[in-house]
């Protein structure tokens, strides 16, 4: 939950951007969707085992007042030779994943820390150019 994003250039906390991280499961005991916490601009939300339910997760976040412009990443197969990060915004991630596909297992990272590092450090990982330059600090 912390190492996976870190391996892909996403610090889950970063001074002045994200001072807290919350990890939730995307697949609860009875297959229920998670309870989504209220939106806090300085929180990074990591959702485990949720990529197959991405449209439902995005709808939950939208219903909880998470902004469509919020940076979001899907970290796939972290630590494996074929690891990949798909970056977009809450409003565009579903279309982006439909366009490029996804490789399980994966986790979802939502928050301003997703793009806190320089574009040069992560430019090869952008699949949705609309998020280039979305920095919070």
């Amino acid at each position: 939950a912390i190492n996976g994003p870190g391996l892909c250039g996403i610090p889950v906390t970063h001074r002045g951007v994200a001072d807290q991280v919350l990890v939730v499961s995307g697949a609860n005991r009875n297959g229920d969707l998670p309870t989504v916490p209220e939106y806090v601009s300085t929180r990074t939300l990591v959702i485990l085992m949720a990529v197959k339910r991405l449209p439902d997760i995005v709808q939950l976040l939208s219903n909880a007042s998470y902004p469509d412009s919020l940076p979001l990443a899907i970290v796939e197969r972290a630590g494996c030779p074929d690891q990949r990060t798909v970056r977009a915004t809450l409003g565009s991630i579903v279309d982006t994943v439909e366009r490029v596909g996804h490789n399980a297992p994966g986790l979802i990272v939502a928050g301003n820390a997703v793009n806190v590092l320089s574009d040069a450090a992560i430019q090869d990982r952008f699949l949705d150019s609309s998020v280039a330059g979305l920095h919070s600090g």
Side-chain angles (χ1 to χ4, degrees), residues 15-136:
R15 182 176 292 144
V17 177
D19 58 12
Q20 53 184 285
V21 60
L22 179 64
V23 179
V24 299
S25 174
N28 294 331
R29 181 180 299 177
N30 297 320
D32 298 333
L33 290 169
T35 300
V36 177
E38 68 182 43
Y39 174 69
V40 175
S41 65
T42 58
R43 176 188 297 144
T44 301
L45 177 63
V46 179
I47 307 172
L48 306 174
M49 303 177 293
V51 177
K52 289 184 180 181
R53 303 174 87 180
L54 183 63
D56 295 328
I57 297 294
V58 166
Q59 188 61 53
L60 281 175
L61 295 175
S62 294
N63 291 346
S65 299
Y66 284 64
D68 280 349
S69 61
L70 185 69
L72 198 134
I74 296 176
V75 177
E76 301 173 345
R77 302 184 54 75
C80 296
D82 61 341
Q83 85 178 16
R84 180 176 78 159
T85 305
V86 178
R87 296 170 188 261
T89 62
L90 182 63
S92 66
I93 192 68
V94 172
D95 289 339
T96 300
V97 169
E98 285 177 2
R99 190 171 69 246
V100 301
H102 80 85
N103 302 308
L107 55 86
I108 299 169
V109 184
N112 292 311
V114 166
N115 290 330
V116 75
L117 298 179
S118 71
D119 285 344
I122 57 176
Q123 67 185 358
D124 63 324
R125 296 187 177 124
F126 277 111
L127 293 177
D128 180 348
S129 61
S130 71
V131 297
L134 286 180
H135 295 294
S136 299

